[in-house]
Amino acid sequence: MQAAAENDDYGWLVGIDWATDAHEVCILTPSRELVTQRKVEHNGPAIAGFLDQLTRLCEGQAARVAIAIPRGAVVESLVERGFHVYAINPKQLDRFRDRHTVAGAKDDRRDAFALADSLRTDRPCFRQVRVDDPLVIQLREMSRVDDDLAEDMNRLTNRLREQLHLLIAA
């Protein structure tokens, strides 16, 4: 993890509340000025457009952008483009949300703002996402293949057993 002093020069703090249909995005300056708050549809062109907009905003200096996101498929794309992405547990987000309202109701816009704002105030509570070592990625994929093969073997064994029972019964 990078030292906090290295990350103090972020020019933009971004909160992304990941959803099924559309994602709520909030971009703040370090002084808590709202740059933009908007929805990004959950499709390839819309997400690519948002990433391009974010790249233009930071003038190609992706390392000056800190992004808080609870989860989602876009995380790897953000990291690959050089943005500093911070993962947060949804339970932590729930606690950060309580700072901004006591209503307790889930609101995607408020959650995106709470994510961006909490990066400003509580960055040590976040874990910076790093691209995994290629060997770890390969090991993870091989593990998935092993699971798939074990499932296939179990299914085929059950089919063979059923066929044997049918032959014996006939």
Side-chain angles (χ1 to χ4, degrees):
M1 181 180 284
Q2 288 184 326
E6 291 179 45
N7 295 334
D8 286 340
D9 61 348
Y10 287 128
W12 299 271
L13 307 167
V14 180
I16 302 174
D17 188 44
W18 197 251
T20 305
D21 297 325
H23 318 300
E24 197 65 47
V25 175
C26 178
I27 302 175
L28 299 175
T29 65
S31 60
R32 205 177 187 216
E33 292 176 49
L34 182 65
V35 175
T36 188
Q37 193 160 16
R38 68 185 195 98
K39 286 188 181 302
V40 175
E41 294 299 316
H42 184 67
N43 60 55
I47 292 171
F50 164 68
L51 294 177
D52 291 341
Q53 176 196 16
L54 198 53
T55 301
R56 282 191 305 277
L57 176 69
C58 69
E59 298 173 343
Q61 298 177 356
R64 295 216 47 230
V65 178
I67 301 172
I69 186 169
R71 65 185 184 284
V74 77
V75 170
E76 193 169 302
S77 296
L78 291 165
V79 172
E80 286 174 356
R81 287 193 180 211
F83 296 107
H84 290 190
V85 179
Y86 292 86
I88 186 169
N89 183 299
K91 200 65 155 172
Q92 284 177 295
L93 170 57
D94 193 37
R95 298 303 174 260
F96 287 134
R97 182 187 312 128
D98 291 343
R99 291 180 179 175
H100 300 282
T101 182
V102 294
K106 170 108 172 73
D107 178 289
D108 292 342
R109 261 176 94 88
R110 189 179 309 120
D111 286 354
F113 178 83
L115 283 164
D117 194 46
S118 59
L119 266 179
R120 186 178 62 82
T121 58
D122 296 283
R123 196 170 313 125
C125 295
F126 291 81
R127 177 186 56 82
Q128 188 169 359
V129 178
R130 305 272 185 200
V131 176
D132 286 332
D133 184 275
L135 289 175
V136 172
I137 294 170
Q138 188 176 15
L139 179 62
R140 192 178 301 133
E141 183 60 29
M142 296 303 266
S143 176
R144 285 187 194 115
V145 168
D146 181 59
D147 290 344
D148 290 346
L149 290 172
E151 189 177 308
D152 288 347
M153 187 171 92
N154 192 28
R155 187 174 24 73
L156 291 170
T157 301
N158 289 338
R159 283 180 58 191
L160 178 62
R161 182 181 304 117
E162 183 63 29
Q163 290 299 319
L164 290 173
H165 285 303
L166 289 174
L167 281 173
I168 293 171

